[in-house]
Amino acid sequence: MADQSVMLVRYRAGMTGQAARTVHLVSLRDRCEAGVVGTLCGALMALERIETIAPGQGMPCDTCVVHHVQATIPAAEQLPAADRPNSLHSGGAGEVGGATYQAWGWPVTQCCDQIRLSLERDASAIAIPISVSTELIQILTARHCAPAVLAHPDAPEHHIVLAGERYGVRLPWPVNVHHIAGALMLPPTMTPRGPITWIQPPYRDSLRLAREIDVFGALRAVLRDAPACAGPSLLR
């Protein structure tokens, strides 16, 4: 737990109940943007509500620890997904939703009632300000690449658009748009601050049809057509 590649964080006292103040791990290799940080277990935490702590303090998040340990084990030595504890094959609360994601081929794991989408490969999660997300979704739908979109209680000013097929190089996103790194919890997961919910529900081909470049192009179209008084706050 003293590994310098991770930072230990938890909710500050008074931000949530004591039982929800478990210690999460955040990768120091991931960029922190727009006031939120993604943990190894897939939680999304607002910087203004958390504190960093020293090793040995508090009760650790078991899922964060498992993913941190797995990251240090060579792939050839890891158990197949079906044999891992708390995998989607092992049953438990929320299995119906998790089994559906897995049947679609999404890179998800489940621990108790929490469903975690890995963002380490082609899956992307892009936080888009709510002020432009509705029009962006309409454009993508009209272009036959409708994305799955969710709302997260720790990012109340953004909708999170899921996309696949990363572009390969970093795109020049507007300043208030950012990628969530590492992992993201999916509905019906409940967080200490409330449920994660779908704004636009997913379907089997959501990650295949809505690519990162499609989201970027649609966002540029929204900003290009926006009134002059509305656009500057999103642009660099």
Side-chain angles (χ1 to χ4, degrees):
M1 295 292 287
D3 187 344
Q4 295 303 306
S5 66
V6 295
M7 175 173 61
L8 282 67
V9 303
R10 68 180 176 187
Y11 283 108
R12 290 190 283 111
M15 290 294 170
T16 187
Q18 190 64 30
R21 296 186 68 218
T22 51
V23 179
H24 294 270
L25 304 181
V26 175
S27 173
L28 295 178
R29 294 185 292 271
D30 293 337
R31 295 184 53 157
C32 177
E33 302 177 76
V36 295
V37 64
T39 67
L40 296 190
C41 71
L44 193 60
M45 305 177 76
L47 291 177
E48 63 184 16
R49 299 174 182 142
I50 62 175
E51 62 184 0
T52 59
I53 64 170
Q57 292 183 277
M59 180 66 68
C61 166
D62 292 341
T63 307
C64 276
V65 173
V66 168
H67 286 290
H68 183 49
V69 171
Q70 286 181 345
T72 67
I73 302 175
E77 298 179 14
Q78 293 190 23
L79 289 173
D83 296 330
R84 294 176 192 163
N86 296 320
S87 76
L88 288 171
H89 297 275
S90 62
E95 183 177 15
V96 173
T100 300
Y101 297 130
Q102 187 193 46
W104 292 345
W106 287 27
V108 296
T109 55
Q110 181 170 335
C111 180
C112 297
D113 59 349
Q114 296 184 327
I115 301 171
R116 177 184 185 272
L117 174 70
S118 173
L119 303 174
E120 297 173 356
R121 298 182 181 176
D122 274 344
S124 298
I126 306 161
I128 307 286
I130 293 175
S131 59
V132 298
S133 65
T134 299
E135 189 173 352
L136 178 140
I137 294 169
Q138 291 173 347
I139 290 174
L140 288 171
T141 301
R143 294 176 179 178
H144 305 289
C145 47
V149 183
L150 57 81
H152 196 294
D154 278 325
E157 297 180 355
H158 292 74
H159 286 159
I160 301 173
V161 177
L162 301 186
E165 193 176 321
R166 293 181 181 176
Y167 189 59
V169 297
R170 185 174 178 80
L171 293 166
W173 296 96
V175 67
N176 286 345
V177 175
H178 69 281
H179 272 270
I180 297 165
L184 178 70
M185 292 295 188
L186 297 181
T189 300
M190 176 69 72
T191 77
R193 301 191 66 82
I196 302 173
T197 57
W198 288 114
I199 298 299
Q200 177 156 293
Y203 54 93
R204 179 183 297 273
D205 293 330
S206 292
L207 293 183
R208 180 177 65 84
L209 297 179
R211 305 170 301 170
E212 184 182 46
I213 191 62
D214 296 321
V215 178
F216 180 79
L219 180 61
R220 284 299 181 182
V222 172
L223 298 181
R224 182 187 63 229
D225 297 336
C229 62
S233 63
L234 280 176
L235 299 175
R236 292 186 181 275

